[in-house]
Amino acid sequence: MESVGGSGSQPPSQNVEHDMGAEAVEKDTSQQPLPPSVPKKRKEVETRSPVWDHFEKIKNKDNIVVSAVCIYCKKSYKSESKRHGTSTLRNHIMTCLKNPHSKDTRQSLLTFSPAPSSGLTESEGAAGVLGTWVFDQELIRRALCEMIIVDELPFRFVEGQGFRKFILVCCPMFKIPSRWTVSRDILKIYSDERVNLKNFFKTSCQRVSITTDTWTSVQRINYMCITAHFIDHEWKLQKKIISFVPISSHKGEYIAKALESCLLEWGLKSIFSVTVDNASSNDTAIGFLKKKMLSRGSTAVRCKYLHMRCIAHILNLVVQDGLKESDDSVKKVRDSVRYMRSSPARLQKFRELADLIGVEAKNSLVLDVPTRWNSTYLMLHTALLYQKVFEVYEDYDPSFKSDLGGNVPNFLDWEVVEGLVKFLKSFYEMTVRISGSLYVTSNTFFSEVSDLSCILTGLVGAESDSVKAMGMNMRTKFDKYWGDPNKMNFLIFYGNIMDPRDKIEYMPYQFNQLYGDENGKSLFEKVMKDLKELYVDYVTSFPVQSDPVPVEQSVPPTVLSDPVSVGRPQSLLKSQLKKQRLESGELGRKKTELEVYLS
């Protein structure tokens, strides 16, 4: 046992020596200087908070951020990463008065807003007006939708790379919506505008005029469009499309039902007139609509003026009949223009030849639509400017005459075209005047009809047989619609009377020129009688607005102390005249507003 214990353990003296040696080593180690400790370098992490886009970092000598300075108002905040957070900086961004990107900023930015000057649109001649601007996501989004509506842009326009880059430069805070969001926003704008227009028709609008037309698309689908014309609070003419729907047929009963459904949907009861073209189906539709309006309480006097035939359409029919006499010359010019426009090489050669000859016209050749005479006028007017070029082009291109089968316009054809252009110019300008949609044109209709009658009378009495035949055809079509005044809507005459430049001064002479002395006189008396009837109908409906205006009572002449006064003889004469009128009872009768206006 002892041998085993002695062999398995060390003597005590040896253990003591070992412990003392260890202590000596530890003492020697503690007495030696330790090497300096090197701190481990921490990897710099880039700041990820968006608040640093609005602050400038201030660092100490050890490159540690100790404070932040606002780049707008230069206010400083402590911002050590281990002792301070970014909440204070974020709160300052939202309340900084000089931060232009804050939605809730209390101080707006000054800006120059475009204000259109009188008679000009915003795109031309706009003058700067000092205003304020505040970033508003919803307002900019609505303006974007309105731009897409007005400019007829596709919805995917907002997803284009160029538009996104443009917004990033102009307004980085604006979040661009997707095309699906834009489509929903546009539908919401439509619903809001529809409700506003309905309220306006119900509360603020008295009379509305309707224009409607139907057509067939290339898919053989019949469509009908209804436009409302009215005067707004600022006395400006407005037009709004209130219906665009497919219809089963172009028959009058289907047109009438679609028109009635539209008026019921919008709550329109006070319809002033319905302007349609001269199709017989429209006569049936207007007759049906008259019965419906009478059943709703509208007066028979006003319903008498419901049907208005489109004057521009009648003028188009009149000129179309006149062009039938010159179809050969017009066809030759049309074929020549089509030949030039069918090949870019020919058109380039044609332009080079025009420069060589010295033609100063800069207009491009245009091809007409045969069913639209105004486009035919523009084609002939432009081709006439290049008459010399067409005559010389045959020598430079032998295939010109052969491809057209020898039907190249000659000297006589150009003479006919020149006379036709002069003839059509007055009709073209007349069409432009009566087709205006941004201003009232009804006051000029009767004057234009009278002028057209004078022009046709001159054509019928012309010496040239072709011009005379042309005038006869046009006169026949003119008499079909305007030859019988009983078939005309008398609103044409009333609009001319309400024009303060004309009133009834020239109307009797115009009637005599149109329908002869005897018929003209009776027609003028009938127009005045019906006008007074319509006025009485309005007085009954609006008695407060149409009180009779009393004529000024006779004032006794002022007795002046100076017997040689210049005004005394005039006062005496006026007093004598008023005394005679008072004795005859002329001054005792009160005049209506209509009589005062016409006098």
Side-chain angles (χ1 to χ4, degrees):
M1 293 294 294
E2 292 179 358
S3 60
V4 172
S7 62
S9 61
Q10 295 182 358
S13 60
Q14 294 180 359
N15 292 339
V16 172
E17 292 178 357
H18 176 76
D19 294 338
M20 292 177 64
E23 291 178 4
V25 172
E26 288 178 4
K27 290 180 180 180
D28 294 339
T29 305
S30 62
Q31 292 177 358
Q32 294 179 359
L34 297 175
S37 60
V38 180
K40 187 176 180 181
K41 188 175 182 181
R42 184 180 178 183
K43 183 180 179 181
E44 293 186 3
V45 180
E46 185 179 358
T47 54
R48 290 169 293 181
S49 177
V51 299
W52 291 110
D53 296 336
H54 309 276
F55 285 89
E56 180 183 357
K57 299 177 181 179
I58 305 299
K59 301 180 180 180
N60 59 9
K61 61 181 181 180
D62 296 330
N63 202 26
I64 299 176
V65 178
V66 294
S67 61
V69 178
C70 178
I71 62 177
Y72 308 115
C73 64
K74 304 302 179 182
K75 192 171 183 178
S76 177
Y77 290 93
K78 296 292 184 180
S79 59
E80 295 185 30
S81 60
K82 294 184 178 181
R83 298 178 60 186
H84 311 92
T86 57
S87 299
T88 305
L89 306 183
R90 187 178 297 105
N91 294 335
H92 173 77
I93 293 174
M94 302 304 297
T95 58
C96 181
L97 298 178
K98 296 184 178 181
N99 181 11
H101 304 285
S102 176
K103 181 179 179 181
D104 301 327
T105 179
R106 289 175 288 176
Q107 183 175 355
S108 303
L109 296 179
L110 294 179
T111 181
F112 282 97
S113 303
S117 54
S118 59
L120 298 176
T121 60
E122 293 186 3
S123 60
E124 53 180 2
V129 176
L130 188 63
T132 57
W133 177 84
V134 179
F135 174 79
D136 191 333
Q137 173 74 18
E138 298 301 326
L139 191 61
I140 299 178
R141 206 162 111 180
R142 181 180 177 89
L144 174 61
C145 294
E146 290 178 355
M147 179 190 71
I148 292 176
I149 294 172
V150 173
D151 296 338
E152 299 180 358
L153 301 174
F155 294 157
R156 59 183 176 83
F157 174 78
V158 296
E159 298 178 353
Q161 183 179 359
F163 176 74
R164 291 184 174 273
K165 183 177 180 181
F166 172 77
I167 292 297
L168 184 62
V169 175
C170 292
C171 189
M173 297 291 292
F174 177 65
K175 297 180 181 179
I176 303 176
S178 66
R179 55 180 170 178
W180 305 108
T181 304
V182 168
S183 63
R184 290 193 297 269
D185 290 348
I186 291 178
L187 185 60
K188 185 178 182 302
I189 291 175
Y190 166 76
S191 302
D192 295 342
E193 292 295 329
R194 183 183 177 88
V195 172
N196 295 337
L197 187 58
K198 265 189 176 182
N199 294 334
F200 179 83
F201 285 152
K202 185 177 180 180
T203 59
S204 304
C205 189
Q206 294 185 1
R207 306 287 276 172
V208 178
S209 294
I210 299 296
T211 303
T212 181
D213 195 12
T214 58
W215 69 94
T216 304
S217 67
V218 293
Q219 293 87 7
R220 309 300 299 173
I221 302 176
N222 303 318
Y223 288 98
M224 180 177 183
C225 181
I226 303 175
T227 307
H229 304 264
F230 56 92
I231 304 295
D232 62 7
H233 295 296
E234 299 179 357
W235 283 90
K236 293 182 179 180
L237 181 65
Q238 300 289 341
K239 63 172 185 177
K240 302 289 183 181
I241 296 177
I242 58 176
S243 180
F244 189 91
V245 292
I247 57 174
S248 330
S249 171
H250 289 281
K251 294 183 179 180
E253 54 183 284
Y254 295 100
I255 295 176
K257 290 179 180 179
L259 189 58
E260 183 189 12
S261 300
C262 174
L263 299 182
L264 290 175
E265 182 181 1
W266 284 90
L268 290 173
K269 297 181 179 179
S270 299
I271 303 300
F272 188 70
S273 65
V274 180
T275 303
V276 292
D277 59 16
N278 299 281
S280 58
S281 58
N282 288 325
D283 298 340
T284 306
I286 296 300
F288 176 84
L289 188 62
K290 279 184 179 180
K291 296 179 182 179
K292 292 294 182 180
M293 291 187 64
L294 288 173
S295 63
R296 294 178 193 169
S298 181
T299 61
V301 176
R302 299 185 203 177
C303 288
K304 186 166 60 174
Y305 306 102
L306 185 65
H307 188 187
M308 175 65 74
R309 300 181 184 273
C310 180
I311 294 183
H313 185 257
I314 296 176
L315 181 60
N316 181 37
L317 297 178
V318 170
V319 180
Q320 285 286 0
D321 281 14
L323 290 177
K324 293 179 180 179
E325 295 297 326
S326 56
D327 274 350
D328 293 338
S329 300
V330 173
K331 185 178 183 303
K332 290 181 181 180
V333 175
R334 182 185 295 118
D335 292 341
S336 300
V337 173
R338 183 183 290 110
Y339 178 84
M340 296 299 174
R341 289 174 54 88
S342 61
S343 171
R346 295 173 189 165
L347 196 58
Q348 180 65 26
K349 189 175 182 180
F350 183 85
R351 291 174 178 171
E352 293 176 354
L353 190 59
D355 295 337
L356 182 62
I357 296 177
V359 177
E360 298 180 356
K362 300 299 181 183
N363 305 42
S364 300
L365 294 176
V366 293
L367 191 61
D368 71 327
V369 180
T371 56
R372 300 292 180 184
W373 71 266
N374 49 357
S375 64
T376 304
Y377 163 75
L378 295 176
M379 178 193 69
L380 298 178
H381 174 70
T382 306
L384 194 62
L385 299 176
Y386 295 98
Q387 175 184 351
K388 296 181 180 179
V389 184
F390 278 106
E391 293 173 349
V392 178
Y393 189 85
E394 183 179 354
D395 300 333
Y396 284 83
D397 188 0
S399 61
F400 175 50
K401 188 173 183 178
S402 60
D403 290 347
L404 294 180
N407 293 326
V408 177
N410 53 29
F411 179 76
L412 295 177
D413 292 325
W414 286 115
E415 279 192 347
V416 173
V417 168
E418 184 177 2
L420 195 59
V421 168
K422 293 180 180 179
F423 163 73
L424 292 178
K425 182 179 180 181
S426 57
F427 293 97
Y428 178 78
E429 294 174 348
M430 187 181 299
T431 304
V432 172
R433 288 195 299 268
I434 65 178
S435 301
S437 59
L438 301 179
Y439 51 89
V440 178
T441 58
S442 57
N443 60 308
T444 64
F445 287 167
F446 179 61
S447 299
E448 299 293 350
V449 172
S450 178
D451 293 344
L452 180 59
S453 177
C454 294
I455 294 174
L456 296 181
T457 302
L459 292 177
V460 172
E463 297 180 357
S464 174
D465 293 337
S466 60
V467 175
K468 187 175 182 179
M470 187 184 303
M472 292 293 293
N473 292 339
M474 298 175 71
R475 189 74 198 193
T476 303
K477 184 67 72 172
F478 177 90
D479 292 338
K480 178 181 178 180
Y481 295 103
W482 291 327
D484 186 3
N486 295 322
K487 297 181 180 180
M488 298 175 63
N489 192 326
F490 278 16
L491 288 179
I492 296 177
F493 308 135
Y494 300 160
N496 186 259
I497 292 175
M498 291 303 162
D499 191 334
R501 298 170 297 180
D502 294 330
K503 295 188 180 180
I504 57 175
E505 184 176 2
Y506 307 106
M507 185 168 287
Y509 302 99
Q510 292 172 316
F511 281 153
N512 294 341
Q513 184 267 333
L514 280 169
Y515 308 109
D517 295 342
E518 183 177 353
N519 294 334
K521 183 178 180 180
S522 60
L523 177 60
F524 178 73
E525 293 175 354
K526 188 176 187 305
V527 168
M528 297 305 300
K529 178 183 177 182
D530 290 355
L531 177 60
K532 292 178 181 178
E533 181 186 25
L534 182 61
Y535 172 79
V536 171
D537 183 77
Y538 270 94
V539 170
T540 306
S541 303
F542 309 99
V544 178
Q545 300 179 5
S546 303
D547 291 335
V549 180
V551 180
E552 59 179 2
Q553 300 297 328
S554 59
V555 180
T558 305
V559 180
L560 301 178
S561 57
D562 186 4
V564 198
S565 174
V566 177
R568 184 176 176 84
Q570 297 179 11
S571 300
L572 289 174
L573 292 174
K574 289 182 179 179
S575 64
Q576 292 176 3
L577 177 61
K578 290 181 180 179
K579 184 178 180 180
Q580 293 176 2
R581 296 175 62 185
L582 185 61
E583 291 176 353
S584 64
E586 185 178 354
L587 289 180
R589 185 178 64 86
K590 293 183 178 180
K591 291 186 176 182
T592 62
E593 288 185 3
L594 179 61
E595 292 173 336
V596 171
Y597 172 77
L598 296 179
S599 62

